[in-house]
Amino acid sequence: MSDNSSSNAYWAANKRIIYISLVIWAVVSYGFGIILRPMLSGIPVGGTDLGFWFAQQGSIIIFIALIFYYANYMNKIDREFGVDEE
Amino acid sequence: MDQYTLNLLVVGASFALYVGIAIWSRAGTTAEFYAANRGVNPVMNGMATAADWMSAASFISMAGLIAAVGYGNSTYLMGWTGGYVLLALLLAPYLRKFGKFTVPQFIGDRFYSQSARLVAVVCLIVISVTYVIGQMTGAGVAFSRFLEVSVSTGLWIAAAVVFVYAVLGGMKGITYTQVAQYVVLIVAYTIPAIFISLQLTGNPIPGLGLFSEHSASGQPLLQKLDQVVTDLGFNAYTAQGSMLNMTLFTLSLMIGTAGLPHVIIRFFTVPKVADARWSAGWALVFIALLYLTAPAVGAMARLNIIDTIFPGGPKAEAVLYEERPNWMKNWEVTGLLKFTDKNGDGRIQYYNDKAAGFASEAQARGWNGNELDINNDILVLANPEIAQLPGWVIALIAAGGLAAALSTAAGLLLAISSAISHDLIKDWLKPDISEKGELMAARVSMGGAILVATLLGLNPPGFAAQTVALAFGLAAATIFPALMMGIFSKRINSLGATLGMIVGLVATCLYLFTYLGWFFIAGTNMLENVPANYLFGIPPTAFGPIGAVLNFAVAYFVSMATAAPPQSVQDLVESIRIPRGAGAATGHH
């Protein structure tokens, strides 16, 4: 790679968004869906509690949003750092 | 028109469509055969990935698994979808940039080692073969129920159809066939679910219906369900499960999903790195259409079944066996539903006879044990009959189940055949083979793989169900960590990665064999398969993440103690991290 500092900065930006996304990924599934469910049990959703909703639907919906946000964000920084494919 | 003719027409039409697509999209080069010439639109690829991923297990079994336990089995929903986040963030774009055809090829090149590549080939073949047996068996069962042929005839028909479109079209044919199969399976899955949701809650969207009011009682649906199942001695549907087990099992399914080679190779087919990221998102959208419907199907089917058996509610008398509905008679024939009149009163008592607190009530009502055994797998297939939907919906379910099984089987067979023709023949045994020769080798190994899968499907080894745990565990413990380290670390070297994979492979196999028997042969297990014996309470099916951690640790420490990889390999890692220069759709290399 000819321009090392720019490609390092690109990789650092990529890793940062990956860490943030993985934290959200873990919180909505393992967190809200399983471990923190007793804490969320006071919030009612359609005959049950919020933790149940996260375990059966909420986590999946947030996974989708997360991937699309990531793809969009990466396309933007690909262009900013001049490493996109055109 | 009778049901049999309808089934024949709908299933026949769907098969004609698949074969037609195969003829239209014949593969002429290895790039077309292995990677559909890298010309697949990301939305189309998402659809194909969804069909590739959603097997007979997702289509037929998952709703039943959730219905049987309720909240505790939400692990399947989160686990089988959360893996796509890992794929999109950690693997797909980089493997696309790498721009080769197979998973072992990446491992071999990145770790500049033929032995690393061979370990990856072995894992890939074990994973894919164990998986494909289940798909072929599933297709055989679906045929025998809906087309009224023997299971073995059904299997041969399924094998012939897969043979035509997979051998002819390779990845190109499989991709467009899977798009068609996705449409068939999602339509088949959602139509009955919509009708049932309307009947029970008045809401046409099943995923919303699950959290709406039950029209007949005015209570929220899940609350009503909790009440009727606890009235029969079962655990409440929404009751809390074991946190440690759920967390580990979900993690195991997620990492396993992200390491399954037939899913990974789908990301080689898109034109650009950016498309690989989009494509993972689209795949999850299409998967979610089924996965957000499945928990509703499970809960509503459970409520419907109890309503059928106890028309006056669980506190009143059960239905007379003589007056049982037609769908029960149909499924009794298959043996997946069984009634034994234990107290001789001619009524079907269905309850949890293992619940200690319920014994006195059962005795007071003159019940002598649970009298109805329902196989979880019939839930989705019988759903339209339970809800008394028209015959064409039942025919559609048959076509949908077959589409789910065949699309996954084709994806697996392609992963196996490309590993054999590309990794074993072209790069190891006979490097000077011509493009035409390699294409022929790919087709022959595909044909061979179909034959082996069919023969194993005809005589499924008794351990077929248990080996799925092995497939997920191995994918999580070997392929996923090797790929991830290859991308995210420049320091992991050949020795570290190879030893890491071997430790992951051996540890996972040993842990499974300890509880499930050596090579799954019954009676040779060293410890009984009960929670009290598990290491730190980890069930064998959830060992994958532990194997992955061992793999990471060994690879890290061995690499740190030995020399860094050569500069050329470090440059390769640099280059796969950057999208620019991925190369457009190219033919020959």
Side-chain angles (χ1 to χ4, degrees), chain B residues 185 216 268 550:
Chain B
L185 82 85
F268 296 157
L550 292 174

Side-chain angles (χ1 to χ4, degrees), chain B residues 59-68 196 294 297-302 305 327 331 374-386 397:
Chain B
F59 189 91
I60 297 171
S61 306
M62 192 176 59
L65 284 170
I66 297 167
I196 292 164
V297 169
M300 289 172 189
R302 182 108 183 251
I305 286 174
W327 66 265
W331 286 95
I374 306 175
N375 185 308
N376 286 336
D377 285 355
I378 73 171
L379 226 59
V380 168
L381 300 177
N383 228 351
E385 296 168 85
I386 297 174
I397 282 274

